[in-house]
Amino acid sequence: LVPEGPQPMSGRTLPQKPSLETGPIHAMNMVKNTLFCRGCIRRLLVVIAINFAAVSSFMFYKFLLRQPSVTPTTRIPSNSPPRESLRVATWNLRVPFPPDLDRNLSWVERRQTVASAIAKWRPHLLALQEDCYFMTDDLMNAQTSRGKLSDIYDRYGLFNRNGESYPTSKWPDNAFSTIVGKDGEHNSIWYDKKRFKAIKNVTFWLSRTPNIAGSSFDEVTGRVVNCVLLHDRLCIATRDHTKNDVQCTNIMYCSTHFPAGNATRQLWSVDTLSQMFFEFQHDLTTDATNDKLLMMVSGDFNSAPGSDTHNAMIRSGFVDSRHVSQESKPIHAYRNTTNDWYGGKDAVIDYVWIYLGRQHGLPKSYFLPSNVEVVSVRHVKITCCNSRLNSGSFSFEGTASDHLMVITDFSLI
Protein backbone atom coordinates (compact mmCIF):
# COMPACT_ATOMS: atom_id res chain seq x y z
CA LEU A 1 0.00 0.00 0.00
CA VAL A 2 1.14 3.60 -0.64
CA PRO A 3 0.40 6.92 1.12
CA GLU A 4 -2.59 8.92 0.00
CA GLY A 5 -1.92 11.39 -2.84
CA PRO A 6 0.18 10.88 -5.98
CA GLN A 7 3.55 11.11 -4.23
CA PRO A 8 6.54 9.62 -6.13
CA MET A 9 7.97 6.38 -4.69
CA SER A 10 11.71 6.10 -4.33
CA GLY A 11 13.39 4.37 -7.29
CA ARG A 12 10.14 4.03 -9.24
CA THR A 13 8.19 6.00 -11.90
CA LEU A 14 4.44 6.31 -11.51
CA PRO A 15 2.40 4.83 -14.40
CA GLN A 16 1.39 7.47 -16.95
CA LYS A 17 -2.11 8.11 -18.24
CA PRO A 18 -2.45 6.72 -21.79
CA SER A 19 -2.57 9.34 -24.58
CA LEU A 20 -4.51 9.37 -27.85
CA GLU A 21 -1.31 8.31 -29.64
CA THR A 22 -1.75 4.85 -28.17
CA GLY A 23 -5.48 5.00 -27.61
CA PRO A 24 -8.47 3.38 -29.36
CA ILE A 25 -8.82 6.00 -32.18
CA HIS A 26 -5.24 5.53 -33.27
CA ALA A 27 -5.80 1.76 -33.32
CA MET A 28 -8.78 2.07 -35.69
CA ASN A 29 -6.82 4.29 -38.09
CA MET A 30 -4.07 1.69 -38.13
CA VAL A 31 -6.62 -0.99 -39.03
CA LYS A 32 -8.04 1.05 -41.97
CA ASN A 33 -4.68 2.08 -43.40
CA THR A 34 -2.99 -1.27 -43.09
CA LEU A 35 -5.84 -3.70 -43.58
CA PHE A 36 -4.39 -5.00 -46.86
CA CYS A 37 -0.78 -4.51 -45.85
CA ARG A 38 1.42 -7.46 -45.59
CA GLY A 39 1.62 -8.52 -41.90
CA CYS A 40 -1.25 -6.19 -40.90
CA ILE A 41 -2.81 -8.70 -38.54
CA ARG A 42 0.40 -9.05 -36.56
CA ARG A 43 0.76 -5.25 -36.26
CA LEU A 44 -2.86 -4.91 -35.18
CA LEU A 45 -2.42 -7.45 -32.36
CA VAL A 46 0.68 -5.64 -31.12
CA VAL A 47 -1.14 -2.29 -30.98
CA ILE A 48 -4.12 -3.83 -29.13
CA ALA A 49 -1.80 -5.43 -26.58
CA ILE A 50 0.03 -2.14 -25.95
CA ASN A 51 -3.28 -0.31 -25.54
CA PHE A 52 -4.65 -2.91 -23.07
CA ALA A 53 -1.50 -2.85 -20.94
CA ALA A 54 -1.50 0.96 -20.73
CA VAL A 55 -5.17 1.18 -19.73
CA SER A 56 -4.78 -1.61 -17.12
CA SER A 57 -1.80 0.11 -15.51
CA PHE A 58 -3.67 3.40 -15.27
CA MET A 59 -6.75 1.81 -13.66
CA PHE A 60 -4.64 -0.09 -11.12
CA TYR A 61 -2.84 3.14 -10.17
CA LYS A 62 -6.20 4.87 -9.51
CA PHE A 63 -7.26 1.89 -7.34
CA LEU A 64 -4.14 2.22 -5.21
CA LEU A 65 -4.73 5.92 -4.63
CA ARG A 66 -8.16 5.18 -3.19
CA GLN A 67 -6.81 2.83 -0.43
CA PRO A 68 -6.18 4.10 3.16
CA SER A 69 -2.59 4.48 4.20
CA VAL A 70 -1.02 2.11 6.74
CA THR A 71 1.98 3.36 8.67
CA PRO A 72 4.67 0.98 9.97
CA THR A 73 3.55 1.64 13.57
CA THR A 74 0.00 0.36 13.01
CA ARG A 75 -0.75 -2.60 15.36
CA ILE A 76 -2.67 -5.45 13.83
CA PRO A 77 -5.10 -6.81 16.47
CA SER A 78 -4.52 -10.35 17.68
CA ASN A 79 -6.94 -13.04 16.63
CA SER A 80 -6.86 -14.41 20.21
CA PRO A 81 -9.86 -13.38 22.34
CA PRO A 82 -9.12 -11.38 25.51
CA ARG A 83 -8.53 -13.17 28.78
CA GLU A 84 -10.48 -12.36 31.92
CA SER A 85 -9.28 -12.81 35.49
CA LEU A 86 -11.36 -14.77 37.97
CA ARG A 87 -10.55 -14.96 41.69
CA VAL A 88 -12.12 -17.82 43.62
CA ALA A 89 -11.75 -18.36 47.38
CA THR A 90 -12.84 -20.77 50.08
CA TRP A 91 -12.75 -20.13 53.83
CA ASN A 92 -13.90 -22.07 56.88
CA LEU A 93 -14.86 -19.31 59.35
CA ARG A 94 -15.08 -21.53 62.45
CA VAL A 95 -18.34 -21.77 64.35
CA PRO A 96 -17.88 -19.98 67.72
CA PHE A 97 -17.17 -22.25 70.69
CA PRO A 98 -17.13 -21.36 74.43
CA PRO A 99 -13.34 -21.89 74.92
CA ASP A 100 -12.63 -19.27 72.21
CA LEU A 101 -13.78 -16.54 74.59
CA ASP A 102 -10.73 -17.16 76.80
CA ARG A 103 -8.42 -16.61 73.79
CA ASN A 104 -10.01 -13.28 72.85
CA LEU A 105 -11.21 -15.00 69.68
CA SER A 106 -14.96 -14.75 70.00
CA TRP A 107 -16.94 -14.04 66.86
CA VAL A 108 -17.58 -10.48 68.01
CA GLU A 109 -13.82 -9.93 68.20
CA ARG A 110 -13.11 -11.63 64.87
CA ARG A 111 -15.91 -10.48 62.59
CA GLN A 112 -14.48 -7.12 61.53
CA THR A 113 -11.15 -8.73 60.63
CA VAL A 114 -12.96 -11.36 58.56
CA ALA A 115 -14.98 -8.70 56.74
CA SER A 116 -11.89 -6.59 56.07
CA ALA A 117 -10.02 -9.61 54.69
CA ILE A 118 -12.83 -10.39 52.25
CA ALA A 119 -12.88 -6.75 51.14
CA LYS A 120 -9.08 -6.68 50.77
CA TRP A 121 -8.75 -9.82 48.66
CA ARG A 122 -12.07 -9.24 46.87
CA PRO A 123 -12.73 -12.72 45.44
CA HIS A 124 -15.31 -12.82 42.68
CA LEU A 125 -16.59 -16.10 44.14
CA LEU A 126 -16.36 -17.13 47.80
CA ALA A 127 -17.33 -20.45 49.39
CA LEU A 128 -17.80 -20.39 53.17
CA GLN A 129 -18.02 -23.17 55.74
CA GLU A 130 -19.05 -23.14 59.41
CA ASP A 131 -20.92 -19.96 58.57
CA CYS A 132 -23.91 -19.48 60.80
CA TYR A 133 -26.63 -17.24 59.44
CA PHE A 134 -25.93 -14.55 62.03
CA MET A 135 -22.24 -14.61 61.06
CA THR A 136 -22.84 -14.00 57.36
CA ASP A 137 -25.44 -11.39 58.28
CA ASP A 138 -22.83 -9.58 60.38
CA LEU A 139 -20.34 -9.74 57.52
CA MET A 140 -22.76 -8.44 54.92
CA ASN A 141 -23.52 -5.40 57.08
CA ALA A 142 -19.93 -4.71 58.16
CA GLN A 143 -18.28 -1.49 56.98
CA THR A 144 -14.98 -2.03 55.18
CA SER A 145 -12.58 0.01 53.08
CA ARG A 146 -14.76 -0.89 50.08
CA GLY A 147 -18.03 -0.09 51.81
CA LYS A 148 -20.59 -2.63 52.94
CA LEU A 149 -20.03 -6.15 51.64
CA SER A 150 -23.75 -6.36 50.83
CA ASP A 151 -23.11 -3.70 48.16
CA ILE A 152 -20.60 -6.04 46.50
CA TYR A 153 -21.95 -9.55 47.03
CA ASP A 154 -25.11 -11.59 46.85
CA ARG A 155 -25.19 -14.91 48.69
CA TYR A 156 -26.97 -18.23 48.57
CA GLY A 157 -26.93 -21.02 51.15
CA LEU A 158 -29.55 -23.22 52.78
CA PHE A 159 -29.25 -24.41 56.39
CA ASN A 160 -27.57 -27.81 56.65
CA ARG A 161 -30.11 -29.22 59.12
CA ASN A 162 -33.38 -28.53 57.30
CA GLY A 163 -32.78 -26.65 54.04
CA GLU A 164 -34.39 -23.38 55.10
CA SER A 165 -33.09 -19.96 54.09
CA TYR A 166 -33.84 -17.93 57.24
CA PRO A 167 -33.77 -18.76 60.96
CA THR A 168 -37.06 -19.92 62.43
CA SER A 169 -38.21 -21.46 65.69
CA LYS A 170 -38.28 -24.83 63.90
CA TRP A 171 -34.51 -24.91 63.63
CA PRO A 172 -32.98 -27.60 65.85
CA ASP A 173 -30.41 -26.77 68.51
CA ASN A 174 -26.83 -26.81 67.29
CA ALA A 175 -25.25 -30.18 68.07
CA PHE A 176 -21.71 -28.81 68.45
CA SER A 177 -21.79 -25.35 70.05
CA THR A 178 -24.04 -23.97 72.77
CA ILE A 179 -23.12 -20.39 71.82
CA VAL A 180 -24.95 -20.33 68.49
CA GLY A 181 -28.27 -21.70 69.75
CA LYS A 182 -30.38 -22.98 66.86
CA ASP A 183 -28.13 -21.52 64.18
CA GLY A 184 -25.53 -23.51 62.28
CA GLU A 185 -23.57 -24.13 59.11
CA HIS A 186 -24.87 -22.98 55.72
CA ASN A 187 -21.92 -23.55 53.36
CA SER A 188 -22.96 -20.44 51.50
CA ILE A 189 -21.77 -19.13 48.15
CA TRP A 190 -21.01 -15.44 47.77
CA TYR A 191 -20.70 -13.97 44.28
CA ASP A 192 -19.83 -10.53 42.95
CA LYS A 193 -23.25 -9.32 41.84
CA LYS A 194 -21.86 -6.77 39.39
CA ARG A 195 -19.75 -9.41 37.67
CA PHE A 196 -22.18 -12.35 37.74
CA LYS A 197 -25.84 -13.04 37.13
CA ALA A 198 -27.30 -16.05 38.94
CA ILE A 199 -29.01 -18.48 36.57
CA LYS A 200 -30.12 -21.01 39.17
CA ASN A 201 -29.44 -22.18 42.74
CA VAL A 202 -28.93 -25.87 43.54
CA THR A 203 -28.79 -27.65 46.90
CA PHE A 204 -28.28 -31.30 47.79
CA TRP A 205 -26.96 -33.32 50.73
CA LEU A 206 -24.08 -35.77 51.05
CA SER A 207 -26.16 -38.79 51.94
CA ARG A 208 -27.92 -41.85 50.55
CA THR A 209 -30.84 -39.52 49.79
CA PRO A 210 -29.21 -36.31 48.50
CA ASN A 211 -32.53 -34.61 47.79
CA ILE A 212 -33.83 -34.94 51.34
CA ALA A 213 -33.07 -31.83 53.41
CA GLY A 214 -30.95 -32.34 56.51
CA SER A 215 -29.74 -35.81 55.55
CA SER A 216 -26.23 -37.23 55.96
CA PHE A 217 -24.42 -40.52 56.33
CA ASP A 218 -25.73 -41.22 59.83
CA GLU A 219 -24.41 -38.04 61.48
CA VAL A 220 -26.15 -35.78 63.98
CA THR A 221 -26.07 -32.95 61.44
CA GLY A 222 -26.82 -32.58 57.75
CA ARG A 223 -24.02 -32.36 55.17
CA VAL A 224 -25.25 -29.75 52.73
CA VAL A 225 -23.79 -28.76 49.34
CA ASN A 226 -24.96 -25.36 48.09
CA CYS A 227 -24.28 -24.35 44.47
CA VAL A 228 -24.93 -21.39 42.21
CA LEU A 229 -24.88 -21.49 38.40
CA LEU A 230 -23.63 -18.11 37.18
CA HIS A 231 -23.40 -16.18 33.91
CA ASP A 232 -20.47 -13.81 33.49
CA ARG A 233 -21.67 -10.25 32.85
CA LEU A 234 -18.12 -9.15 31.97
CA CYS A 235 -18.00 -11.57 29.07
CA ILE A 236 -21.45 -10.48 27.95
CA ALA A 237 -20.37 -6.83 27.92
CA THR A 238 -16.99 -7.21 26.20
CA ARG A 239 -17.50 -9.89 23.55
CA ASP A 240 -18.86 -9.52 20.02
CA HIS A 241 -21.64 -12.08 20.15
CA THR A 242 -22.48 -11.68 16.48
CA LYS A 243 -19.54 -13.98 15.81
CA ASN A 244 -20.28 -17.66 16.04
CA ASP A 245 -16.93 -18.51 17.65
CA VAL A 246 -17.47 -16.27 20.72
CA GLN A 247 -18.37 -18.20 23.85
CA CYS A 248 -18.64 -17.09 27.45
CA THR A 249 -17.96 -19.38 30.39
CA ASN A 250 -20.84 -20.24 32.71
CA ILE A 251 -19.65 -21.21 36.17
CA MET A 252 -21.16 -23.63 38.63
CA TYR A 253 -19.60 -23.03 42.05
CA CYS A 254 -20.39 -25.16 45.13
CA SER A 255 -19.46 -25.13 48.81
CA THR A 256 -19.38 -28.13 51.14
CA HIS A 257 -17.84 -29.54 54.34
CA PHE A 258 -16.90 -33.21 54.55
CA PRO A 259 -17.23 -35.27 57.76
CA ALA A 260 -14.20 -35.30 60.03
CA GLY A 261 -12.43 -38.38 61.37
CA ASN A 262 -14.37 -41.00 59.44
CA ALA A 263 -12.81 -42.11 56.17
CA THR A 264 -15.78 -44.32 55.26
CA ARG A 265 -18.22 -41.42 55.44
CA GLN A 266 -15.83 -39.30 53.42
CA LEU A 267 -15.63 -41.91 50.66
CA TRP A 268 -19.41 -42.19 50.58
CA SER A 269 -19.54 -38.41 50.34
CA VAL A 270 -17.19 -38.50 47.35
CA ASP A 271 -19.51 -40.98 45.61
CA THR A 272 -22.56 -38.74 46.14
CA LEU A 273 -20.70 -35.59 45.08
CA SER A 274 -19.36 -37.28 41.96
CA GLN A 275 -22.76 -38.66 40.93
CA MET A 276 -24.46 -35.28 41.36
CA PHE A 277 -21.76 -33.44 39.41
CA PHE A 278 -21.88 -36.05 36.66
CA GLU A 279 -25.64 -35.47 36.29
CA PHE A 280 -25.28 -31.68 36.43
CA GLN A 281 -22.58 -31.73 33.77
CA HIS A 282 -24.71 -33.88 31.48
CA ASP A 283 -27.78 -31.67 31.90
CA LEU A 284 -25.91 -28.37 31.51
CA THR A 285 -23.76 -29.33 28.53
CA THR A 286 -26.61 -30.88 26.54
CA ASP A 287 -28.64 -27.71 26.92
CA ALA A 288 -28.96 -25.63 23.74
CA THR A 289 -26.32 -23.02 24.46
CA ASN A 290 -23.03 -21.89 22.98
CA ASP A 291 -21.54 -21.13 26.39
CA LYS A 292 -18.73 -23.10 27.99
CA LEU A 293 -19.01 -24.54 31.50
CA LEU A 294 -16.59 -24.47 34.44
CA MET A 295 -17.68 -26.59 37.43
CA MET A 296 -15.99 -26.27 40.82
CA VAL A 297 -16.57 -27.38 44.39
CA SER A 298 -14.68 -25.81 47.29
CA GLY A 299 -14.55 -26.28 51.01
CA ASP A 300 -13.16 -28.12 54.00
CA PHE A 301 -12.70 -31.75 52.98
CA ASN A 302 -11.03 -32.85 56.25
CA SER A 303 -8.54 -34.93 54.27
CA ALA A 304 -4.93 -34.34 53.28
CA PRO A 305 -3.32 -34.82 49.86
CA GLY A 306 -2.51 -38.48 49.30
CA SER A 307 -5.31 -39.70 51.57
CA ASP A 308 -7.91 -42.20 50.38
CA THR A 309 -10.47 -39.40 50.17
CA HIS A 310 -8.15 -37.19 48.12
CA ASN A 311 -7.38 -40.03 45.72
CA ALA A 312 -11.06 -40.90 45.42
CA MET A 313 -11.83 -37.32 44.38
CA ILE A 314 -9.23 -37.58 41.63
CA ARG A 315 -10.56 -40.93 40.39
CA SER A 316 -14.02 -39.37 40.27
CA GLY A 317 -12.96 -36.67 37.83
CA PHE A 318 -11.99 -33.80 40.15
CA VAL A 319 -8.62 -32.06 40.00
CA ASP A 320 -7.01 -30.09 42.82
CA SER A 321 -6.38 -26.58 41.46
CA ARG A 322 -2.87 -26.69 42.95
CA HIS A 323 -1.95 -29.56 40.63
CA VAL A 324 -2.65 -27.52 37.49
CA SER A 325 -1.42 -24.14 38.67
CA GLN A 326 1.10 -22.38 36.43
CA GLU A 327 3.30 -22.04 39.53
CA SER A 328 4.18 -25.73 39.12
CA LYS A 329 4.72 -26.13 42.87
CA PRO A 330 4.61 -29.54 44.53
CA ILE A 331 1.81 -29.90 47.04
CA HIS A 332 4.22 -30.01 50.00
CA ALA A 333 5.50 -26.55 49.03
CA TYR A 334 2.19 -25.00 50.10
CA ARG A 335 1.67 -24.04 53.72
CA ASN A 336 -0.99 -25.84 55.73
CA THR A 337 -4.54 -24.54 55.41
CA THR A 338 -5.26 -24.85 59.15
CA ASN A 339 -3.93 -22.93 62.16
CA ASP A 340 -5.29 -24.90 65.09
CA TRP A 341 -5.92 -22.71 68.12
CA TYR A 342 -5.44 -25.52 70.60
CA GLY A 343 -2.29 -27.30 69.44
CA GLY A 344 -3.80 -29.81 67.02
CA LYS A 345 -1.83 -31.00 64.02
CA ASP A 346 -2.16 -28.67 61.03
CA ALA A 347 -2.58 -29.93 57.48
CA VAL A 348 -3.80 -29.09 53.98
CA ILE A 349 -7.50 -29.93 54.08
CA ASP A 350 -9.16 -27.03 52.20
CA TYR A 351 -9.52 -27.23 48.43
CA VAL A 352 -10.77 -25.63 45.25
CA TRP A 353 -11.61 -28.66 43.11
CA ILE A 354 -12.26 -28.37 39.35
CA TYR A 355 -14.56 -30.98 37.85
CA LEU A 356 -13.34 -32.38 34.53
CA GLY A 357 -15.64 -35.37 34.30
CA ARG A 358 -15.22 -39.06 35.02
CA GLN A 359 -13.37 -39.77 31.78
CA HIS A 360 -10.50 -37.58 33.05
CA GLY A 361 -10.23 -39.17 36.49
CA LEU A 362 -6.58 -40.21 36.42
CA PRO A 363 -3.57 -38.21 37.64
CA LYS A 364 -1.90 -38.42 34.23
CA SER A 365 -4.98 -36.75 32.74
CA TYR A 366 -4.51 -33.46 34.57
CA PHE A 367 -5.39 -30.97 31.88
CA LEU A 368 -7.97 -28.23 31.73
CA PRO A 369 -10.27 -27.05 28.94
CA SER A 370 -8.53 -24.65 26.58
CA ASN A 371 -10.53 -21.71 27.94
CA VAL A 372 -9.31 -22.13 31.56
CA GLU A 373 -5.93 -21.60 33.20
CA VAL A 374 -5.03 -21.68 36.90
CA VAL A 375 -2.57 -18.84 37.48
CA SER A 376 -1.86 -19.27 41.19
CA VAL A 377 -3.10 -20.75 44.47
CA ARG A 378 -2.42 -18.98 47.78
CA HIS A 379 -3.06 -19.93 51.40
CA VAL A 380 -3.58 -16.61 53.18
CA LYS A 381 -3.18 -16.38 56.94
CA ILE A 382 -5.28 -13.58 58.48
CA THR A 383 -3.95 -12.54 61.89
CA CYS A 384 -6.39 -11.20 64.41
CA CYS A 385 -7.27 -9.94 67.81
CA ASN A 386 -3.78 -9.49 69.36
CA SER A 387 -4.05 -13.01 70.71
CA ARG A 388 -0.81 -14.88 71.34
CA LEU A 389 0.28 -17.82 73.45
CA ASN A 390 3.73 -19.34 73.93
CA SER A 391 4.23 -22.49 75.97
CA GLY A 392 6.82 -25.23 76.03
CA SER A 393 5.03 -27.36 73.45
CA PHE A 394 2.72 -24.97 71.70
CA SER A 395 3.13 -21.56 70.11
CA PHE A 396 -0.07 -19.82 69.13
CA GLU A 397 -0.86 -16.73 67.06
CA GLY A 398 -4.44 -15.54 66.88
CA THR A 399 -6.06 -15.63 63.47
CA ALA A 400 -9.44 -14.62 62.09
CA SER A 401 -10.27 -18.33 61.81
CA ASP A 402 -8.52 -21.60 62.54
CA HIS A 403 -8.42 -22.06 58.76
CA LEU A 404 -6.54 -20.01 56.19
CA MET A 405 -8.29 -18.45 53.24
CA VAL A 406 -7.45 -20.43 50.08
CA ILE A 407 -7.42 -18.15 47.01
CA THR A 408 -7.21 -19.45 43.45
CA ASP A 409 -6.70 -17.06 40.54
CA PHE A 410 -7.93 -18.18 37.12
CA SER A 411 -7.56 -16.80 33.63
CA LEU A 412 -10.51 -17.37 31.31
CA ILE A 413 -10.94 -16.97 27.56
Side-chain angles (χ1 to χ4, degrees):
L1 302 184
V2 300
E4 292 185 350
Q7 302 173 10
M9 294 179 286
S10 176
R12 296 175 59 187
T13 301
L14 296 179
Q16 300 298 314
K17 181 178 179 179
S19 67
L20 294 177
E21 295 298 319
T22 56
I25 296 176
H26 182 65
M28 293 302 298
N29 290 332
M30 289 292 295
V31 171
K32 183 174 63 176
N33 296 331
T34 61
L35 184 60
F36 301 102
C37 296
R38 188 175 183 177
C40 62
I41 296 177
R42 181 182 300 172
R43 292 175 60 187
L44 176 61
L45 291 176
V46 171
V47 171
I48 292 174
I50 293 173
N51 182 67
F52 178 80
V55 172
S56 298
S57 298
F58 178 69
M59 296 303 295
F60 181 67
Y61 173 67
K62 291 181 67 176
F63 168 78
L64 289 178
L65 292 181
R66 289 197 298 266
Q67 305 309 303
S69 62
V70 178
T71 63
T73 57
T74 300
R75 291 182 177 273
I76 305 301
S78 170
N79 291 327
S80 300
R83 285 193 169 271
E84 299 159 3
S85 63
L86 173 69
R87 174 163 290 178
V88 171
T90 182
W91 200 5
N92 182 324
L93 298 183
R94 182 179 174 87
V95 169
F97 290 94
D100 301 343
L101 300 174
D102 299 331
R103 294 283 177 89
N104 299 322
L105 291 170
S106 68
W107 173 246
V108 172
E109 292 167 295
R110 295 189 287 127
R111 62 188 177 187
Q112 186 59 50
T113 302
V114 172
S116 296
I118 294 173
K120 175 184 176 180
W121 291 99
R122 186 68 183 273
H124 298 108
L125 302 174
L126 173 63
L128 296 178
Q129 301 84 46
E130 297 194 24
D131 54 329
C132 296
Y133 186 89
F134 76 87
M135 296 167 68
T136 55
D137 209 38
D138 287 345
L139 294 175
M140 280 289 186
N141 291 294
Q143 288 291 342
T144 72
S145 59
R146 296 181 181 270
K148 292 176 64 173
L149 293 180
S150 60
D151 294 333
I152 303 172
Y153 295 100
D154 275 337
R155 61 175 171 171
Y156 171 74
L158 302 185
F159 185 32
N160 65 351
R161 297 291 298 277
N162 60 14
E164 292 186 353
S165 301
Y166 302 99
T168 69
S169 59
K170 296 186 298 182
W171 283 22
D173 291 333
N174 191 285
F176 302 101
S177 174
T178 58
I179 292 180
V180 301
K182 292 179 177 294
D183 211 332
E185 186 172 53
H186 283 68
N187 292 339
S188 57
I189 293 292
W190 291 28
Y191 57 93
D192 186 325
K193 59 187 179 182
K194 293 183 179 179
R195 170 79 181 264
F196 293 102
K197 174 185 177 182
I199 301 173
K200 68 168 61 175
N201 301 323
V202 178
T203 297
F204 62 94
W205 278 261
L206 301 176
S207 71
R208 300 176 185 87
T209 53
N211 294 319
I212 295 181
S215 58
S216 66
F217 288 108
D218 308 318
E219 293 186 85
V220 296
T221 188
R223 289 290 171 183
V224 69
V225 184
N226 284 307
C227 309
V228 181
L229 179 63
L230 300 156
H231 202 46
D232 192 344
R233 297 181 195 270
L234 179 60
C235 180
I236 297 172
T238 58
R239 301 293 175 84
D240 181 1
H241 292 269
T242 61
K243 298 180 179 179
N244 294 328
D245 60 344
V246 174
Q247 295 177 308
C248 292
T249 301
N250 286 341
I251 298 173
M252 184 172 183
Y253 193 47
C254 303
S255 176
T256 193
H257 190 174
F258 269 25
N262 189 311
T264 300
R265 286 175 176 161
Q266 289 183 0
L267 293 175
W268 289 342
S269 297
V270 172
D271 288 342
T272 300
L273 187 67
S274 172
Q275 181 60 34
M276 297 302 289
F277 264 63
F278 177 77
E279 294 176 7
F280 292 150
Q281 185 186 55
H282 176 268
D283 293 343
L284 294 173
T285 54
T286 55
D287 189 17
T289 176
N290 289 326
D291 292 325
K292 301 177 183 179
L293 179 65
L294 173 61
M295 301 177 68
M296 296 178 287
V297 58
S298 297
D300 178 354
F301 286 76
N302 276 310
S303 53
S307 64
D308 290 343
T309 302
H310 186 267
N311 292 333
M313 288 289 289
I314 294 171
R315 289 194 301 271
S316 299
F318 295 90
V319 56
D320 182 350
S321 56
R322 303 175 187 94
H323 286 151
V324 289
S325 172
Q326 293 179 350
E327 300 167 299
S328 300
K329 290 167 57 176
I331 195 70
H332 60 76
Y334 291 91
R335 67 196 307 177
N336 294 320
T337 64
T338 60
N339 179 51
D340 195 278
W341 292 350
Y342 299 96
K345 184 178 180 181
D346 291 320
V348 174
I349 61 174
D350 301 271
Y351 297 84
V352 175
W353 291 98
I354 305 164
Y355 185 66
L356 301 182
R358 290 178 176 175
Q359 69 272 23
H360 298 298
L362 293 173
K364 64 181 180 181
S365 300
Y366 282 155
F367 62 90
L368 297 180
S370 59
N371 63 309
V372 178
E373 290 181 351
V374 177
V375 179
S376 66
V377 180
R378 285 175 281 188
H379 302 171
V380 181
K381 187 176 184 179
I382 312 296
T383 58
C384 179
C385 312
N386 296 317
S387 180
R388 293 181 177 274
L389 174 67
N390 289 295
S391 64
S393 59
F394 175 49
S395 177
F396 167 81
E397 179 182 24
T399 47
S401 170
D402 59 350
H403 286 248
L404 279 63
M405 186 192 298
V406 177
I407 299 174
T408 300
D409 283 319
F410 289 86
S411 179
L412 303 179
I413 293 181

